[in-house]
């Protein structure tokens, strides 16, 4: 693809779930706008070749990132979940986040990134501080998962109810996911090879985004040894 070929971008409004009209962005350009239905503002950017080169990490950056990963995993005060030993593919730390109070969410990724084909399982563990934060966290995560599923080919009428119902997973299917040897209720939404799920495991909220792996083959366990996730090895 030529570098100046317009890149078509379209997404769902995170506020109301309406489809934001697609636009054409050239490399190195950005735009701002707002949702045509609820008015929520947004910004978009398409990186150019110089941006890509500048973002290439060097050895020193890799060392800093590795240490940041270690601190994130060491500092978390809550259980984190990943796939059990039946998963033989790659494992890596997909991300982490939190607030001034500390780390409260960690994502473990399994398999190649979403741009590739083949099995992939992302497991995010979120630890809310209270019931209010948990309610908001579930709501935001349901919207985020529905938006990602739409980008993977789900019909708009399938994901839109997530954005405009009091129970964001009320239209999702009930499912059972094995967690530490026990069956735990989740809510699931699927489209083609992709499916997403959301459930509560003890005091934490667990989100799943999965490609090419049936639900009965996803077996979660608390992660004690984080070392396999610290070195990014993509299958």
């Amino acid at each position: 693809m030529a570098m100046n070929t317009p890149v078509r971008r379209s997404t769902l409004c995170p506020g109301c779930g309406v489809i934001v009209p697609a636009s054409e962005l050239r490399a190195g350009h950005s735009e701002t706008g707002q949702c045509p239905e609820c008015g929520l503002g947004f910004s978009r950017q398409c990186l150019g070749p110089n941006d890509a080169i500048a973002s290439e990490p060097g050895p020193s950056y890799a060392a800093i990132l590795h240490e940041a990963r270690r601190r994130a995993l060491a500092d978390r005060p809550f259980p984190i979940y990943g796939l059990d030993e039946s998963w033989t593919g790659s494992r890596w730390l997909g991300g982490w986040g939190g607030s001034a109070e500390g780390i409260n969410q960690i994502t473990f990724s399994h398999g190649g990134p979403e741009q590739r084909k083949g099995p992939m399982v992302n497991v995010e563990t979120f630890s809310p501080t209270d019931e209010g934060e948990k309610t908001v966290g579930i709501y935001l995560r349901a919207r985020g998962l529905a938006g990602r599923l739409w980008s993977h080919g789900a019909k708009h009428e399938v994901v839109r109810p997530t954005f405009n119902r009091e129970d964001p997973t009320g239209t999702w299917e009930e499912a059972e996911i094995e967690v530490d040897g026990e069956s735990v209720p989740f809510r699931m939404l699927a489209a083609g090879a992709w499916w997403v799920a959301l459930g509560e495991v003890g005091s934490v909220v667990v989100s799943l985004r999965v490609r090419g792996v049936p639900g009965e083959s996803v077996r979660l366990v608390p992660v004690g040894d984080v070392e396999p996730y610290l070195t990014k090895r993509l299958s």
Side-chain angles (χ1 to χ4, degrees), residues 8-224:
R8 183 164 292 275
R9 307 287 187 187
S10 62
T11 186
L12 296 185
C13 170
C16 68
V18 72
I19 299 175
V20 177
S23 61
E24 294 181 346
L25 281 181
R26 297 183 182 276
H29 289 249
S30 62
E31 69 169 355
T32 60
Q34 64 182 41
C35 171
E37 185 162 310
C38 72
L40 183 69
F42 66 84
S43 62
R44 294 169 170 151
Q45 182 177 14
C46 182
L47 296 180
N50 292 334
D51 297 313
I53 293 172
S55 66
E56 283 295 320
S60 59
Y61 176 86
I64 293 172
L65 182 59
H66 189 71
E67 180 58 29
R69 290 170 173 164
R70 285 190 176 279
R71 287 199 305 270
L73 294 176
D75 292 346
R76 51 90 190 174
F78 54 91
I80 44 180
Y81 290 89
L83 297 183
D84 71 359
E85 68 278 359
S86 65
W87 176 267
T88 58
S90 59
R91 300 170 183 258
W92 44 290
L93 179 60
W96 66 90
S99 63
E101 286 71 36
I103 297 294
N104 66 4
Q105 62 187 63
I106 290 176
T107 299
F108 282 148
S109 297
H110 308 77
E114 63 185 68
Q115 294 86 353
R116 301 184 184 181
K117 296 181 179 180
M120 186 200 81
V121 180
N122 279 355
V123 183
E124 184 208 67
T125 304
F126 166 61
S127 176
T129 57
D130 53 40
E131 285 298 313
E133 188 177 48
K134 181 172 72 173
T135 299
V136 172
I138 289 174
Y139 198 77
L140 293 178
R141 279 159 179 77
R143 286 183 171 194
L145 290 171
R148 297 300 292 272
L149 194 63
W150 179 81
S151 71
H152 294 315
K155 293 182 178 180
H156 189 232
E157 59 265 28
V158 172
V159 301
R160 182 69 191 278
T162 302
F163 294 83
N164 52 30
R165 291 176 178 258
E166 184 175 351
D167 178 0
T169 62
T171 59
W172 297 22
E173 296 182 7
E174 295 182 355
E176 299 286 331
I177 301 294
E178 183 178 316
V179 182
D180 204 16
E182 298 185 359
S183 183
V184 175
F186 275 67
R187 291 288 184 89
M188 177 189 293
L189 198 60
W194 289 88
W195 58 270
V196 297
L198 192 61
E200 296 181 42
V201 181
S203 62
V204 300
V205 176
V206 175
S207 309
L208 300 173
R209 190 161 61 90
V210 183
R211 176 182 61 204
V213 181
E216 60 270 20
S217 298
V218 174
R219 293 186 284 274
L220 304 179
V221 292
V223 176

